[in-house]
């Protein structure tokens, strides 16, 4: 079955560490996205990529980095510069404009 | 003003009831909208698109009022399994498709 796989499901990070969240899709979608969700807030866009080897900052990109070396993969690195990284991170993909997104099951990141 | 505003609820309804949620959006140029459903601690899942003429999918009906810039979702004959948070989404097409999410309306259906 086609879908989006995020790993790990839960991740604990120490202060000052960088961590990388994995996102893989086999839907053959060109566009991929990273969102962050905090309690009581809507999803906020971190980064997006419309095509391989190209990506753009979203609304809250500070402290994050991404790469898009393959169509199927769009990993997100949460760097030590991100001051409040504890959140639910959601990866999504889309076949194109006018279509909704398909989301992965998310990664819960907690700073310890 | 938030780009997409929703009443957070919760809306508590008995099984079999009809319930409606509204959502307002700030961008008058927006053309495309969705409703997503999100269960507790899970990812959002697409429930339905919202068309200008209104659309229905089983017990769910979505309406768009461009003049007043609001979207509605009507759920008839509520089931226990409808308990979830419903996210209103504005799809912005500005060179790429960006979904702008509301904070969601929580629905609790009780026996």
């Amino acid at each position: 079955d086609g879908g989006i796989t995020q790993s790990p499901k839960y991740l604990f990070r120490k202060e000052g560490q960088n961590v990388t969240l994995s996102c893989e899709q086999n839907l053959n979608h060109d566009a991929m996205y990273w969102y962050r969700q905090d309690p009581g807030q809507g999803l906020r866009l971190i980064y997006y990529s419309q095509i391989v080897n190209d990506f753009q900052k979203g609304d809250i990109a500070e402290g994050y980095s991404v790469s898009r070396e393959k169509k199927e993969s769009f990993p997100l690195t949460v760097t030590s510069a991100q001051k409040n990284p504890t959140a639910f991170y959601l990866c999504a993909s889309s076949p194109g404009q006018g279509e909704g997104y398909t989301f992965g099951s998310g990664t819960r990141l907690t700073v310890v | 003003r938030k780009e997409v505003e929703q009443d957070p609820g919760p809306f508590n309804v008995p099984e079999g009831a009809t319930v409606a949620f509204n959502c307002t959006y700030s961008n008058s140029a927006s053309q495309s909208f969705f409703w997503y459903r999100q269960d507790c601690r899970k990812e959002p899942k697409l429930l339905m698109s919202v068309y200008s003429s209104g659309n229905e999918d089983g017990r769910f009906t979505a309406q768009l009022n461009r003049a007043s810039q609001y979207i509605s979702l009507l759920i008839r004959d509520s089931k226990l399994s409808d308990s979830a948070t419903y996210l209103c989404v504005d799809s912005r097409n500005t060179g790429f498709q960006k979904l702008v999410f509301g904070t969601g309306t929580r629905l609790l259906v009780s026996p």
Side-chain angles (χ1 to χ4, degrees), chain B residues 36-91:
Chain B
Y36 274 73
R37 171 197 168 123
Q38 186 173 25
D39 292 294
C40 188
R41 301 180 70 81
K42 299 286 189 182
E43 75 275 21
K45 293 187 178 177
L46 180 63
L47 180 65
M48 59 196 305
S49 302
V50 184
Y51 302 127
S52 295
S53 55
N55 50 303
E56 189 173 309
D57 183 2
R59 298 181 294 108
F60 299 84
T61 300
Q63 297 276 358
L64 169 60
N65 184 318
R66 290 194 188 278
S68 301
Q69 293 183 213
Y70 79 81
I71 303 148
S72 64
L73 177 68
L74 181 76
I75 305 175
R76 290 180 299 278
D77 189 22
S78 298
K79 312 292 185 190
L80 295 176
S81 58
D82 292 334
S83 296
T85 296
Y86 291 84
L87 307 176
C88 176
V89 183
D90 176 359
S91 177

Side-chain angles (χ1 to χ4, degrees), chain A residues 33 35 37 59 99 101 104, chain B residues 36 38 43 95 97-99:
Chain A
Y33 309 81
Y35 280 84
Q37 187 175 35
D59 301 317
E99 305 285 336
Y101 293 178
Chain B
Y36 274 73
Q38 186 173 25
E43 75 275 21
Q97 183 194 29
K98 174 184 175 183
L99 297 192

